[in-house]
Every structure is written in C-alpha cells, then in structure tokens.
C-alpha cells in the first residue's frame, strides 16, 4: 500500500473493506471506507488484482460469503 500512495499525504489510519466472496472465489460488491480517496483507490485495486479467495461452504455446498476486514496503513 505504501509504495502506491504518496507518503507526504498519508497519515496512519485504518480502512474497512467489505466485499462478497463468490462461489468461484472471485470478489464482488467491494466497498472501502476511509477518509483518503487515494488510499481507497489503492485498496480497491489490490482487491481486484488479488488471487481467488477460498470459497465458503455450507453442508459441503459452495456459498457466497460477505466479509468485512480492517486494513491498517
């Protein structure tokens, strides 16, 4: 994160990312909550470029899973 954001404009903080892990492991409905638009954009790009996530299961059947994670920067 720090390599893509101008350090002079970056104060330490925490963002919250919410998204859905789909049945195929891809992410959808990504929403990032933070005061910095630049940090928000970098987090959204990082999540979009991330490899497939582990799929949630219920009774052995793949299901969509809503996730909310804090991201410190």
């Amino acid at each position: 994160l720090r390599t893509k954001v101008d350090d002079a404009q970056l104060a330490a903080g925490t963002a919250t990312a919410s998204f859905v892990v789909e049945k195929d492991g891809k992410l959808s409905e990504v929403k990032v909550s933070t005061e910095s638009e630049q940090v928000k954009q970098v987090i959204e790009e990082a999540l979009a470029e991330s490899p497939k996530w582990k799929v949630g299961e219920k009774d052995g059947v793949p299901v969509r899973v809503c996730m909310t994670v804090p991201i410190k920067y």
Side-chain angles (χ1 to χ4, degrees):
L1 182 65
R2 289 200 182 272
T3 60
K4 292 189 176 186
V5 178
D6 181 12
D7 284 335
Q9 297 179 359
L10 181 65
T14 303
T16 302
S18 299
F19 49 87
V20 175
V21 180
E22 297 290 343
K23 294 178 186 180
D24 63 359
K26 293 181 182 178
L27 302 184
S28 67
E29 301 179 36
V30 176
K31 296 179 184 134
V32 178
S33 175
T34 185
E35 293 180 11
S36 169
E37 190 61 37
Q38 190 177 16
V39 170
K40 178 180 177 180
Q41 184 178 6
V42 170
I43 292 171
E44 287 172 346
E45 288 174 6
L47 289 172
E49 296 171 4
S50 71
K52 288 186 177 182
W53 287 56
K54 183 176 178 182
V55 178
E57 291 185 4
K58 182 174 182 179
D59 300 324
V61 178
V63 294
R64 298 174 79 219
V65 178
C66 297
M67 304 276 300
T68 301
V69 294
I71 300 172
K72 292 186 179 185
Y73 59 90

